[in-house]
Amino acid sequence: MTRLVVFSNRVPLGDKPSGGLVVALNDTMASQGGLWIGTETVKERSGNGPEALINHPGATFERLAMGLTPKEHAGYYLGYSNSVLWPLFHGRADLLSVSVGQFTTYKSVNSRLAELSAPHLRPDDTIWIHDYHLIPLAHELRKLGVRNPIGFFLHIPFPVANGIRALSDNAEFLEWFSAYDLVGLQTQRDVANFIGAFRTLGRAELLSDGRLRFNNGFIQVASFPIGIDATGFRKAAEEAPELPEITTSAQKVMIGVDRLDYSKGLPHRLRGFQAFLRDRHVEADRIAFLQIAPPTREDVQAYKDIRRDLEQLSGEVNGEFGDIGYMPVQYIHRSIPRERLAGLFRRADIALVTPLNDGMNLVAKEYVAAQDEADPGVLILSRFAGAAEQLAEGALLINPYDAASIAGGITRAVTMPLEERRTRHAAMWSEIARHDNDWWTATFLQSLARAAASRRTSETFFAAAGE
Ligand code: ADQ
Protein backbone atom coordinates (compact mmCIF):
# COMPACT_ATOMS: atom_id res chain seq x y z
CA MET A 1 0.00 0.00 0.00
CA THR A 2 1.27 3.47 -0.82
CA ARG A 3 1.73 6.04 1.92
CA LEU A 4 -0.96 8.72 2.19
CA VAL A 5 0.28 12.29 2.52
CA VAL A 6 -2.41 14.78 3.48
CA PHE A 7 -2.05 18.55 3.24
CA SER A 8 -4.45 20.96 4.92
CA ASN A 9 -4.14 24.42 6.35
CA ARG A 10 -4.19 23.14 9.92
CA VAL A 11 -2.67 19.95 11.31
CA PRO A 12 -4.63 18.39 14.19
CA LEU A 13 -2.50 18.53 17.32
CA GLY A 14 -4.75 17.42 20.19
CA ASP A 15 -6.07 13.90 20.82
CA LYS A 16 -9.68 14.95 20.19
CA PRO A 17 -9.74 17.15 17.12
CA SER A 18 -12.85 19.12 16.16
CA GLY A 19 -14.00 20.63 12.85
CA GLY A 20 -15.39 18.72 9.89
CA LEU A 21 -12.31 18.25 7.72
CA VAL A 22 -9.95 17.40 10.54
CA VAL A 23 -12.28 14.88 12.22
CA ALA A 24 -12.94 13.01 8.96
CA LEU A 25 -9.28 12.74 7.98
CA ASN A 26 -8.00 12.12 11.47
CA ASP A 27 -9.88 8.81 11.60
CA THR A 28 -8.36 7.70 8.31
CA MET A 29 -4.85 8.70 9.29
CA ALA A 30 -5.16 7.17 12.75
CA SER A 31 -6.14 3.82 11.22
CA GLN A 32 -3.82 3.62 8.20
CA GLY A 33 -0.94 5.93 9.19
CA GLY A 34 0.81 8.38 6.88
CA LEU A 35 2.05 11.94 6.91
CA TRP A 36 -0.02 15.10 7.54
CA ILE A 37 1.45 18.47 6.60
CA GLY A 38 -0.01 21.92 7.34
CA THR A 39 0.76 25.33 8.75
CA GLU A 40 0.83 27.01 12.14
CA THR A 41 1.37 30.57 13.16
CA VAL A 42 4.64 31.37 14.93
CA LYS A 43 5.82 34.67 16.45
CA GLU A 44 8.93 34.97 14.33
CA ARG A 45 10.82 32.91 11.79
CA SER A 46 14.53 32.91 12.29
CA GLY A 47 16.78 33.68 9.31
CA ASN A 48 15.70 34.30 5.73
CA GLY A 49 16.15 31.01 3.95
CA PRO A 50 13.72 28.14 3.95
CA GLU A 51 13.88 26.27 7.25
CA ALA A 52 12.76 22.85 8.32
CA LEU A 53 9.14 22.00 8.98
CA ILE A 54 8.17 21.74 12.65
CA ASN A 55 7.76 18.13 13.73
CA HIS A 56 4.88 17.19 16.06
CA PRO A 57 5.49 13.55 16.97
CA GLY A 58 2.25 11.58 16.97
CA ALA A 59 1.30 8.03 17.89
CA THR A 60 -0.04 6.68 14.61
CA PHE A 61 0.95 9.14 11.89
CA GLU A 62 3.59 11.82 11.33
CA ARG A 63 2.72 15.51 11.57
CA LEU A 64 4.74 18.38 10.13
CA ALA A 65 3.87 22.07 10.12
CA MET A 66 5.31 25.10 8.39
CA GLY A 67 5.63 28.11 10.67
CA LEU A 68 3.78 31.21 9.38
CA THR A 69 4.81 34.65 10.53
CA PRO A 70 2.00 36.95 11.75
CA LYS A 71 2.36 38.81 8.44
CA GLU A 72 1.89 35.60 6.42
CA HIS A 73 -1.03 34.61 8.64
CA ALA A 74 -2.64 37.99 7.91
CA GLY A 75 -2.08 37.87 4.12
CA TYR A 76 -2.57 34.18 3.39
CA TYR A 77 -5.07 33.01 6.05
CA LEU A 78 -7.14 36.00 7.22
CA GLY A 79 -6.58 37.81 3.94
CA TYR A 80 -6.75 35.93 0.66
CA SER A 81 -8.24 32.69 2.05
CA ASN A 82 -10.88 34.09 4.37
CA SER A 83 -11.59 37.59 3.07
CA VAL A 84 -11.47 36.77 -0.65
CA LEU A 85 -11.91 33.07 -1.45
CA TRP A 86 -14.34 32.20 1.38
CA PRO A 87 -16.88 34.98 0.64
CA LEU A 88 -16.58 34.50 -3.14
CA PHE A 89 -17.03 30.75 -3.00
CA HIS A 90 -20.09 31.26 -0.80
CA GLY A 91 -21.60 33.72 -3.30
CA ARG A 92 -20.91 36.78 -1.12
CA ALA A 93 -18.88 39.06 -3.40
CA ASP A 94 -20.37 41.93 -1.37
CA LEU A 95 -18.24 40.86 1.61
CA LEU A 96 -15.00 40.71 -0.36
CA SER A 97 -12.18 42.62 1.28
CA VAL A 98 -9.18 42.92 -1.02
CA SER A 99 -5.89 44.36 0.27
CA VAL A 100 -2.59 44.88 -1.46
CA GLY A 101 -0.19 41.97 -1.10
CA GLN A 102 -2.73 39.30 -0.05
CA PHE A 103 -2.60 37.45 -3.35
CA THR A 104 1.21 37.48 -3.44
CA THR A 105 1.40 36.19 0.14
CA TYR A 106 -1.14 33.45 -0.62
CA LYS A 107 0.99 32.27 -3.53
CA SER A 108 4.30 32.58 -1.67
CA VAL A 109 3.01 30.59 1.32
CA ASN A 110 1.91 27.84 -1.07
CA SER A 111 5.22 27.83 -2.92
CA ARG A 112 7.26 27.77 0.29
CA LEU A 113 5.11 24.93 1.63
CA ALA A 114 5.84 23.00 -1.58
CA GLU A 115 9.58 23.62 -1.29
CA LEU A 116 9.77 22.56 2.33
CA SER A 117 7.59 19.51 1.82
CA ALA A 118 9.09 18.09 -1.39
CA PRO A 119 12.14 16.55 0.37
CA HIS A 120 9.76 14.62 2.68
CA LEU A 121 7.89 12.99 -0.20
CA ARG A 122 8.64 9.48 -1.49
CA PRO A 123 8.08 8.33 -5.06
CA ASP A 124 5.20 6.01 -4.16
CA ASP A 125 3.27 8.47 -1.96
CA THR A 126 -0.32 9.41 -2.76
CA ILE A 127 -0.86 13.11 -2.08
CA TRP A 128 -4.23 14.52 -1.02
CA ILE A 129 -4.53 18.30 -0.72
CA HIS A 130 -7.49 19.89 1.06
CA ASP A 131 -9.45 23.06 0.70
CA TYR A 132 -9.28 26.61 -0.56
CA HIS A 133 -6.16 27.66 1.36
CA LEU A 134 -3.99 25.35 -0.73
CA ILE A 135 -5.40 25.41 -4.29
CA PRO A 136 -2.03 26.32 -5.94
CA LEU A 137 -0.04 23.71 -4.01
CA ALA A 138 -0.08 20.96 -6.66
CA HIS A 139 1.03 23.46 -9.29
CA GLU A 140 3.97 24.42 -7.04
CA LEU A 141 4.85 20.77 -6.33
CA ARG A 142 4.78 19.91 -10.05
CA LYS A 143 7.20 22.79 -10.72
CA LEU A 144 9.61 21.05 -8.35
CA GLY A 145 9.30 17.81 -10.31
CA VAL A 146 6.85 15.95 -8.05
CA ARG A 147 5.21 13.31 -10.28
CA ASN A 148 3.09 11.52 -7.67
CA PRO A 149 -0.69 11.18 -7.89
CA ILE A 150 -2.12 14.41 -6.43
CA GLY A 151 -5.79 14.83 -5.58
CA PHE A 152 -7.62 17.90 -4.37
CA PHE A 153 -10.80 18.13 -2.31
CA LEU A 154 -12.72 21.36 -1.89
CA HIS A 155 -14.82 21.40 1.30
CA ILE A 156 -16.77 24.54 0.42
CA PRO A 157 -19.04 25.26 -2.58
CA PHE A 158 -17.52 25.89 -6.00
CA PRO A 159 -18.74 29.27 -7.32
CA VAL A 160 -20.42 30.11 -10.60
CA ALA A 161 -18.26 31.71 -13.33
CA ASN A 162 -19.15 35.24 -12.22
CA GLY A 163 -17.78 34.54 -8.74
CA ILE A 164 -14.42 33.69 -10.27
CA ARG A 165 -14.49 36.83 -12.42
CA ALA A 166 -14.32 38.82 -9.18
CA LEU A 167 -10.88 37.31 -8.47
CA SER A 168 -7.94 39.52 -9.31
CA ASP A 169 -6.25 36.98 -11.56
CA ASN A 170 -8.67 34.36 -12.77
CA ALA A 171 -6.52 32.93 -15.58
CA GLU A 172 -3.94 31.79 -13.04
CA PHE A 173 -6.70 30.50 -10.78
CA LEU A 174 -8.05 28.05 -13.39
CA GLU A 175 -4.54 26.96 -14.26
CA TRP A 176 -3.90 25.81 -10.68
CA PHE A 177 -6.52 23.05 -11.02
CA SER A 178 -4.87 21.46 -14.03
CA ALA A 179 -1.95 20.28 -11.87
CA TYR A 180 -4.24 17.78 -10.08
CA ASP A 181 -5.01 14.24 -11.22
CA LEU A 182 -8.43 14.51 -9.60
CA VAL A 183 -10.52 17.41 -8.29
CA GLY A 184 -13.15 16.35 -5.75
CA LEU A 185 -16.12 18.53 -4.89
CA GLN A 186 -18.95 18.00 -2.39
CA THR A 187 -22.02 17.89 -4.67
CA GLN A 188 -23.35 17.63 -8.21
CA ARG A 189 -24.22 21.31 -7.98
CA ASP A 190 -20.53 22.12 -7.45
CA VAL A 191 -19.43 19.89 -10.33
CA ALA A 192 -21.91 21.69 -12.62
CA ASN A 193 -20.55 25.08 -11.48
CA PHE A 194 -16.96 23.90 -12.00
CA ILE A 195 -17.62 22.67 -15.52
CA GLY A 196 -19.62 25.81 -16.31
CA ALA A 197 -16.83 28.09 -15.06
CA PHE A 198 -14.13 26.26 -17.03
CA ARG A 199 -16.21 26.33 -20.20
CA THR A 200 -17.13 29.99 -19.86
CA LEU A 201 -13.85 31.42 -18.60
CA GLY A 202 -11.29 28.88 -19.77
CA ARG A 203 -12.82 27.71 -23.07
CA ALA A 204 -12.60 24.18 -21.74
CA GLU A 205 -14.24 21.36 -23.64
CA LEU A 206 -16.29 18.71 -21.84
CA LEU A 207 -15.37 15.26 -23.16
CA SER A 208 -17.74 12.31 -23.34
CA ASP A 209 -15.88 10.53 -20.51
CA GLY A 210 -16.60 13.47 -18.17
CA ARG A 211 -13.10 14.99 -18.29
CA LEU A 212 -12.45 18.60 -19.24
CA ARG A 213 -9.92 19.41 -21.90
CA PHE A 214 -8.34 22.64 -20.71
CA ASN A 215 -5.32 24.37 -22.26
CA ASN A 216 -3.03 21.46 -23.13
CA GLY A 217 -4.22 19.07 -20.48
CA PHE A 218 -7.20 17.34 -18.92
CA ILE A 219 -9.05 17.85 -15.66
CA GLN A 220 -10.95 15.07 -13.98
CA VAL A 221 -13.65 16.38 -11.65
CA ALA A 222 -16.33 14.54 -9.66
CA SER A 223 -18.43 14.84 -6.51
CA PHE A 224 -17.57 12.96 -3.31
CA PRO A 225 -19.99 14.05 -0.56
CA ILE A 226 -18.09 13.99 2.72
CA GLY A 227 -19.49 11.66 5.38
CA ILE A 228 -19.26 11.30 9.15
CA ASP A 229 -18.41 8.37 11.40
CA ALA A 230 -22.13 7.62 11.57
CA THR A 231 -22.07 4.57 13.87
CA GLY A 232 -19.44 6.16 16.13
CA PHE A 233 -21.47 9.32 16.52
CA ARG A 234 -24.65 7.36 17.15
CA LYS A 235 -22.89 5.38 19.87
CA ALA A 236 -21.55 8.58 21.45
CA ALA A 237 -25.11 9.94 21.55
CA GLU A 238 -26.47 6.77 23.13
CA GLU A 239 -23.77 6.81 25.78
CA ALA A 240 -23.81 10.58 26.39
CA PRO A 241 -24.02 11.65 30.04
CA GLU A 242 -27.33 12.92 31.41
CA LEU A 243 -27.97 16.48 30.35
CA PRO A 244 -29.16 19.17 32.72
CA GLU A 245 -32.69 20.44 31.93
CA ILE A 246 -32.21 22.80 29.03
CA THR A 247 -34.99 25.12 30.07
CA THR A 248 -37.73 25.08 32.66
CA SER A 249 -41.10 25.34 30.98
CA ALA A 250 -40.41 24.56 27.32
CA GLN A 251 -41.92 21.37 26.01
CA LYS A 252 -39.80 21.02 22.94
CA VAL A 253 -36.16 21.73 22.30
CA MET A 254 -34.86 22.97 18.98
CA ILE A 255 -31.11 23.11 18.37
CA GLY A 256 -28.68 24.89 16.05
CA VAL A 257 -24.90 24.28 16.11
CA ASP A 258 -22.61 26.24 13.83
CA ARG A 259 -19.37 28.13 13.71
CA LEU A 260 -20.36 31.77 13.91
CA ASP A 261 -20.13 32.48 10.19
CA TYR A 262 -22.24 34.60 7.84
CA SER A 263 -22.68 31.65 5.47
CA LYS A 264 -24.63 29.76 8.15
CA GLY A 265 -27.65 32.10 7.95
CA LEU A 266 -27.97 32.65 11.70
CA PRO A 267 -29.81 36.00 11.66
CA HIS A 268 -32.21 34.60 9.02
CA ARG A 269 -32.77 31.59 11.27
CA LEU A 270 -33.70 33.80 14.21
CA ARG A 271 -36.05 35.79 11.99
CA GLY A 272 -37.67 32.51 10.99
CA PHE A 273 -38.11 31.49 14.63
CA GLN A 274 -39.50 34.94 15.38
CA ALA A 275 -42.01 34.55 12.54
CA PHE A 276 -43.01 31.16 13.96
CA LEU A 277 -43.51 32.61 17.44
CA ARG A 278 -45.62 35.44 16.02
CA ASP A 279 -47.88 33.10 14.03
CA ARG A 280 -48.02 30.08 16.25
CA HIS A 281 -51.40 28.64 16.99
CA VAL A 282 -50.53 26.14 19.71
CA GLU A 283 -49.92 28.32 22.75
CA ALA A 284 -48.93 25.46 25.04
CA ASP A 285 -46.29 24.05 22.77
CA ARG A 286 -43.47 26.25 23.86
CA ILE A 287 -40.18 25.71 22.11
CA ALA A 288 -36.79 26.53 23.52
CA PHE A 289 -34.28 27.26 20.80
CA LEU A 290 -30.70 26.52 21.78
CA GLN A 291 -28.17 28.04 19.39
CA ILE A 292 -24.53 27.11 19.93
CA ALA A 293 -22.20 29.24 17.84
CA PRO A 294 -18.59 29.72 18.91
CA PRO A 295 -16.94 32.71 17.23
CA THR A 296 -14.29 32.06 14.55
CA ARG A 297 -11.97 34.29 12.49
CA GLU A 298 -12.69 37.21 14.79
CA ASP A 299 -9.98 39.33 13.20
CA VAL A 300 -12.06 39.59 10.03
CA GLN A 301 -14.55 42.48 10.14
CA ALA A 302 -17.48 40.55 8.60
CA TYR A 303 -17.27 38.11 11.52
CA LYS A 304 -17.44 40.91 14.10
CA ASP A 305 -20.56 42.22 12.35
CA ILE A 306 -22.38 38.89 12.38
CA ARG A 307 -21.74 38.46 16.11
CA ARG A 308 -23.21 41.87 16.90
CA ASP A 309 -26.29 41.25 14.68
CA LEU A 310 -26.99 37.93 16.30
CA GLU A 311 -26.74 39.20 19.86
CA GLN A 312 -29.13 42.01 19.02
CA LEU A 313 -31.64 39.72 17.38
CA SER A 314 -31.72 37.13 20.17
CA GLY A 315 -32.29 39.95 22.67
CA GLU A 316 -35.14 41.19 20.51
CA VAL A 317 -36.84 37.78 20.29
CA ASN A 318 -36.43 37.13 24.03
CA GLY A 319 -37.82 40.59 24.82
CA GLU A 320 -40.85 39.98 22.61
CA PHE A 321 -41.71 36.42 23.67
CA GLY A 322 -39.87 35.68 26.94
CA ASP A 323 -41.78 35.08 30.12
CA ILE A 324 -40.99 34.13 33.71
CA GLY A 325 -39.33 30.73 33.40
CA TYR A 326 -39.39 30.84 29.59
CA MET A 327 -36.55 32.13 27.49
CA PRO A 328 -37.20 31.36 23.79
CA VAL A 329 -33.58 31.72 22.63
CA GLN A 330 -30.51 30.54 24.47
CA TYR A 331 -27.42 31.60 22.66
CA ILE A 332 -24.11 30.03 23.67
CA HIS A 333 -20.77 31.23 22.31
CA ARG A 334 -18.71 28.25 23.35
CA SER A 335 -17.39 25.14 21.68
CA ILE A 336 -18.90 21.99 23.21
CA PRO A 337 -17.08 18.64 23.65
CA ARG A 338 -18.25 16.14 21.03
CA GLU A 339 -19.82 13.64 23.47
CA ARG A 340 -21.89 16.39 25.01
CA LEU A 341 -22.86 17.69 21.59
CA ALA A 342 -24.00 14.19 20.60
CA GLY A 343 -26.17 14.04 23.75
CA LEU A 344 -27.67 17.47 23.04
CA PHE A 345 -28.55 16.42 19.49
CA ARG A 346 -30.29 13.31 20.77
CA ARG A 347 -32.24 15.34 23.32
CA ALA A 348 -33.37 17.93 20.73
CA ASP A 349 -36.77 17.43 19.06
CA ILE A 350 -35.83 19.57 16.08
CA ALA A 351 -32.59 20.70 14.45
CA LEU A 352 -32.45 23.92 12.47
CA VAL A 353 -29.70 23.69 9.86
CA THR A 354 -30.35 26.67 7.62
CA PRO A 355 -27.16 27.89 5.93
CA LEU A 356 -27.45 30.34 3.04
CA ASN A 357 -24.76 28.32 1.32
CA ASP A 358 -22.69 25.41 2.63
CA GLY A 359 -20.35 22.87 1.03
CA MET A 360 -21.95 19.96 2.89
CA ASN A 361 -22.81 20.69 6.55
CA LEU A 362 -21.86 17.88 8.88
CA VAL A 363 -24.11 19.08 11.70
CA ALA A 364 -27.13 17.91 9.67
CA LYS A 365 -25.62 14.41 9.43
CA GLU A 366 -24.53 14.34 13.07
CA TYR A 367 -28.04 15.28 14.19
CA VAL A 368 -29.54 12.39 12.22
CA ALA A 369 -26.94 9.94 13.57
CA ALA A 370 -27.63 10.98 17.16
CA GLN A 371 -31.38 10.28 17.08
CA ASP A 372 -33.20 7.49 18.86
CA GLU A 373 -34.74 5.62 15.92
CA ALA A 374 -37.81 4.71 17.97
CA ASP A 375 -38.60 8.38 18.61
CA PRO A 376 -36.46 10.49 16.30
CA GLY A 377 -36.37 14.26 15.97
CA VAL A 378 -36.98 16.27 12.80
CA LEU A 379 -34.28 17.87 10.65
CA ILE A 380 -35.14 21.23 9.09
CA LEU A 381 -32.57 21.72 6.35
CA SER A 382 -31.70 24.52 3.96
CA ARG A 383 -31.95 23.60 0.30
CA PHE A 384 -28.60 25.38 -0.11
CA ALA A 385 -26.67 23.01 2.15
CA GLY A 386 -24.74 20.40 0.18
CA ALA A 387 -26.33 17.80 2.48
CA ALA A 388 -29.71 18.56 0.90
CA GLU A 389 -28.71 16.49 -2.17
CA GLN A 390 -28.49 13.38 0.02
CA LEU A 391 -31.12 14.07 2.68
CA ALA A 392 -34.00 15.42 0.57
CA GLU A 393 -36.14 12.38 1.27
CA GLY A 394 -36.13 12.72 5.04
CA ALA A 395 -35.45 16.34 5.93
CA LEU A 396 -37.89 19.23 5.73
CA LEU A 397 -36.23 21.34 3.06
CA ILE A 398 -36.72 25.09 3.48
CA ASN A 399 -35.62 28.34 1.87
CA PRO A 400 -33.39 30.05 4.45
CA TYR A 401 -33.91 33.52 2.93
CA ASP A 402 -37.64 33.35 3.64
CA ALA A 403 -38.68 33.64 7.31
CA ALA A 404 -42.10 32.22 6.45
CA SER A 405 -40.51 29.11 4.94
CA ILE A 406 -38.49 28.49 8.14
CA ALA A 407 -41.54 29.18 10.31
CA GLY A 408 -43.57 26.74 8.19
CA GLY A 409 -40.86 24.10 8.67
CA ILE A 410 -40.95 24.55 12.44
CA THR A 411 -44.75 24.24 12.50
CA ARG A 412 -44.58 21.02 10.50
CA ALA A 413 -41.81 19.64 12.69
CA VAL A 414 -43.68 20.37 15.93
CA THR A 415 -46.82 18.65 14.72
CA MET A 416 -45.30 15.74 12.80
CA PRO A 417 -46.73 12.33 13.78
CA LEU A 418 -44.32 9.71 15.14
CA GLU A 419 -44.81 7.41 12.14
CA GLU A 420 -43.72 10.10 9.69
CA ARG A 421 -40.74 11.06 11.85
CA ARG A 422 -39.61 7.44 11.85
CA THR A 423 -39.96 7.02 8.09
CA ARG A 424 -38.06 10.22 7.39
CA HIS A 425 -35.34 9.38 9.87
CA ALA A 426 -34.89 5.87 8.49
CA ALA A 427 -34.35 7.27 4.97
CA MET A 428 -31.70 9.71 6.20
CA TRP A 429 -29.96 7.22 8.48
CA SER A 430 -29.60 4.68 5.69
CA GLU A 431 -27.96 7.33 3.49
CA ILE A 432 -25.46 8.62 6.05
CA ALA A 433 -24.60 5.14 7.37
CA ARG A 434 -23.86 3.90 3.83
CA HIS A 435 -21.96 6.99 2.74
CA ASP A 436 -19.91 7.52 5.88
CA ASN A 437 -16.40 8.92 6.18
CA ASP A 438 -14.71 5.57 5.46
CA TRP A 439 -16.71 5.38 2.23
CA TRP A 440 -15.71 8.97 1.40
CA THR A 441 -11.95 8.43 1.82
CA ALA A 442 -11.92 5.05 0.13
CA THR A 443 -13.95 6.27 -2.87
CA PHE A 444 -11.86 9.38 -3.35
CA LEU A 445 -8.55 7.53 -3.09
CA GLN A 446 -9.67 4.78 -5.50
CA SER A 447 -10.75 7.36 -8.06
CA LEU A 448 -7.47 9.21 -7.60
CA ALA A 449 -5.47 6.03 -8.21
CA ARG A 450 -7.44 5.39 -11.42
CA ALA A 451 -7.09 8.98 -12.63
CA ALA A 452 -3.33 9.02 -11.98
CA ALA A 453 -2.88 5.66 -13.74
CA SER A 454 -4.71 6.91 -16.82
CA ARG A 455 -2.57 10.08 -16.88
CA ARG A 456 0.57 7.94 -16.77
CA THR A 457 -0.71 5.74 -19.58
CA SER A 458 -1.45 8.71 -21.82
CA GLU A 459 1.91 10.33 -21.01
CA THR A 460 3.71 7.12 -21.94
CA PHE A 461 1.65 6.92 -25.12
CA PHE A 462 2.45 10.50 -26.18
CA ALA A 463 6.11 10.09 -25.24
CA ALA A 464 6.27 6.97 -27.41
CA ALA A 465 4.54 8.81 -30.21
CA GLY A 466 7.23 11.49 -29.97
CA GLU A 467 4.91 14.34 -28.96
P1 ADQ B 1 -17.65 23.96 8.59
O1 ADQ B 1 -18.04 25.23 7.92
O2 ADQ B 1 -16.82 24.09 9.80
O3 ADQ B 1 -16.93 22.94 7.60
P2 ADQ B 1 -19.65 21.79 9.29
O4 ADQ B 1 -19.71 20.86 8.16
O5 ADQ B 1 -20.98 22.01 9.91
O6 ADQ B 1 -19.09 23.24 8.94
O7 ADQ B 1 -18.66 21.19 10.35
C1 ADQ B 1 -18.54 21.75 11.62
C2 ADQ B 1 -18.04 20.70 12.60
O8 ADQ B 1 -17.68 21.37 13.81
C3 ADQ B 1 -19.11 19.68 12.94
O9 ADQ B 1 -18.49 18.45 13.14
C4 ADQ B 1 -19.71 20.22 14.24
O10 ADQ B 1 -20.21 19.26 15.11
C5 ADQ B 1 -18.50 20.92 14.86
N1 ADQ B 1 -18.96 22.08 15.65
C6 ADQ B 1 -19.60 23.17 15.21
N2 ADQ B 1 -19.90 23.98 16.25
C7 ADQ B 1 -19.44 23.39 17.35
C8 ADQ B 1 -19.45 23.70 18.74
N3 ADQ B 1 -20.02 24.81 19.22
N4 ADQ B 1 -18.87 22.84 19.58
C9 ADQ B 1 -18.30 21.72 19.12
N5 ADQ B 1 -18.28 21.35 17.85
C10 ADQ B 1 -18.83 22.17 16.97
C11 ADQ B 1 -16.50 23.00 6.23
C12 ADQ B 1 -17.58 23.36 5.21
C13 ADQ B 1 -18.77 22.41 5.36
C14 ADQ B 1 -18.29 20.96 5.22
C15 ADQ B 1 -17.11 20.69 6.14
C16 ADQ B 1 -16.49 19.32 5.88
O11 ADQ B 1 -18.00 24.71 5.36
O12 ADQ B 1 -19.77 22.69 4.40
O13 ADQ B 1 -19.35 20.08 5.58
O14 ADQ B 1 -16.08 21.66 5.94
O15 ADQ B 1 -16.20 19.13 4.55
Side-chain angles (χ1 to χ4, degrees):
M1 205 160 86
T2 73
R3 182 178 70 156
L4 179 60
V5 180
V6 163
F7 283 89
S8 66
N9 172 58
R10 217 160 47 87
V11 195
L13 294 180
D15 289 342
K16 290 188 174 173
S18 66
L21 179 162
V22 162
V23 169
L25 287 169
N26 199 66
D27 290 349
T28 306
M29 297 297 276
S31 64
Q32 75 178 55
L35 169 61
W36 194 325
I37 307 181
T39 71
E40 67 186 51
T41 305
V42 293
K43 282 228 166 56
E44 218 171 300
R45 280 210 320 271
S46 53
N48 297 321
E51 328 112 52
L53 295 170
I54 305 157
N55 186 11
H56 294 282
T60 49
F61 57 93
E62 286 181 84
R63 296 178 290 197
L64 296 173
M66 180 174 87
L68 296 177
T69 61
K71 196 163 163 263
E72 284 174 327
H73 177 76
Y76 146 83
Y77 179 75
L78 295 173
Y80 200 74
S81 298
N82 285 316
S83 303
V84 175
L85 295 178
W86 178 275
L88 271 186
F89 280 39
H90 286 88
R92 296 297 303 269
D94 57 313
L95 294 176
L96 204 72
S97 163
V98 184
S99 327
V100 179
Q102 281 170 346
F103 183 60
T104 317
T105 310
Y106 177 78
K107 285 198 295 181
S108 68
V109 164
N110 272 277
S111 85
R112 197 162 67 84
L113 184 60
E115 271 172 40
L116 292 187
S117 307
H120 294 271
L121 300 175
R122 301 176 195 151
D124 65 343
D125 284 344
T126 294
I127 300 171
W128 193 4
I129 296 172
H130 289 263
D131 234 0
Y132 57 103
H133 318 83
L134 302 178
I135 302 171
L137 188 58
H139 182 71
E140 297 296 335
L141 287 168
R142 298 288 188 220
K143 283 203 284 193
L144 300 171
V146 173
R147 313 266 310 130
N148 302 50
I150 310 184
F152 177 73
F153 187 79
L154 182 69
H155 291 255
I156 64 176
F158 196 88
V160 293
N162 260 349
I164 296 168
R165 281 203 176 103
L167 287 172
S168 44
D169 196 338
N170 70 44
E172 197 167 355
F173 175 80
L174 297 186
E175 200 57 58
W176 290 334
F177 287 94
S178 43
Y180 291 99
D181 290 298
L182 175 65
V183 174
L185 303 171
Q186 297 272 27
T187 63
Q188 299 289 345
R189 164 193 75 176
D190 300 309
V191 172
N193 286 351
F194 187 94
I195 293 172
F198 273 79
R199 290 172 99 173
T200 313
L201 305 173
R203 299 215 180 100
E205 183 194 346
L206 183 62
L207 304 178
S208 57
D209 62 4
R211 288 181 306 164
L212 282 167
R213 188 200 293 276
F214 172 64
N215 285 354
N216 295 321
F218 298 96
I219 300 178
Q220 176 95 55
V221 58
S223 74
F224 301 87
I226 192 170
I228 59 165
D229 171 12
T231 42
F233 202 85
R234 179 188 183 135
K235 194 153 167 280
E238 283 164 0
E239 293 166 1
E242 274 297 296
L243 296 165
E245 259 319 295
I246 292 178
T247 186
T248 44
S249 66
Q251 275 127 40
K252 291 210 187 282
V253 175
M254 188 162 72
I255 196 166
V257 175
D258 311 76
R259 278 184 311 96
L260 186 50
D261 193 293
Y262 49 80
S263 65
K264 304 290 181 185
L266 296 169
H268 298 72
R269 187 179 303 175
L270 278 178
R271 292 270 179 229
F273 184 41
Q274 188 177 38
F276 166 78
L277 290 172
R278 284 186 178 153
D279 298 348
R280 81 195 149 139
H281 307 295
V282 196
E283 187 62 32
D285 218 359
R286 287 182 157 176
I287 299 188
F289 175 35
L290 176 63
Q291 175 64 56
I292 303 171
T296 49
R297 307 171 193 168
E298 286 183 284
D299 297 329
V300 178
Q301 184 58 41
Y303 287 78
K304 291 189 184 117
D305 296 345
I306 179 91
R307 180 171 183 163
R308 194 201 47 223
D309 291 353
L310 206 57
E311 277 165 8
Q312 242 170 28
L313 253 174
S314 34
E316 196 180 305
V317 176
N318 281 338
E320 195 177 341
F321 298 101
D323 206 339
I324 294 165
Y326 174 57
M327 182 91 95
V329 182
Q330 286 193 43
Y331 173 32
I332 296 172
H333 292 283
R334 266 179 299 109
S335 191
I336 308 270
R338 286 188 79 67
E339 316 78 64
R340 201 169 144 71
L341 199 60
L344 278 171
F345 282 150
R346 194 174 176 88
R347 165 75 181 78
D349 304 281
I350 302 167
L352 265 186
V353 182
T354 61
L356 304 177
N357 203 350
D358 215 335
M360 176 55 60
N361 197 299
L362 297 179
V363 169
K365 295 186 173 182
E366 290 166 355
Y367 178 74
V368 171
Q371 297 311 298
D372 173 1
E373 62 190 357
D375 186 14
V378 180
L379 174 64
I380 298 176
L381 182 62
S382 162
R383 59 173 75 134
F384 304 115
E389 276 189 14
Q390 291 172 287
L391 303 180
E393 217 186 306
L396 294 179
L397 292 190
I398 53 90
N399 174 5
Y401 292 96
D402 178 2
S405 172
I406 298 178
I410 301 174
T411 306
R412 273 193 76 189
V414 172
T415 52
M416 190 181 286
L418 176 63
E419 207 43 49
E420 183 178 350
R421 282 192 276 128
R422 281 191 183 154
T423 314
R424 286 177 174 272
H425 176 263
M428 293 191 283
W429 168 254
S430 109
E431 177 62 30
I432 63 169
R434 185 160 357 126
H435 297 133
D436 64 359
N437 66 347
D438 286 342
W439 170 87
W440 176 70
T441 4
T443 315
F444 183 91
L445 292 173
Q446 279 158 16
S447 306
L448 174 57
R450 270 200 303 272
S454 92
R455 168 179 49 99
R456 286 193 172 132
T457 314
S458 57
E459 279 172 2
T460 317
F461 174 79
F462 286 121
E467 284 197 21

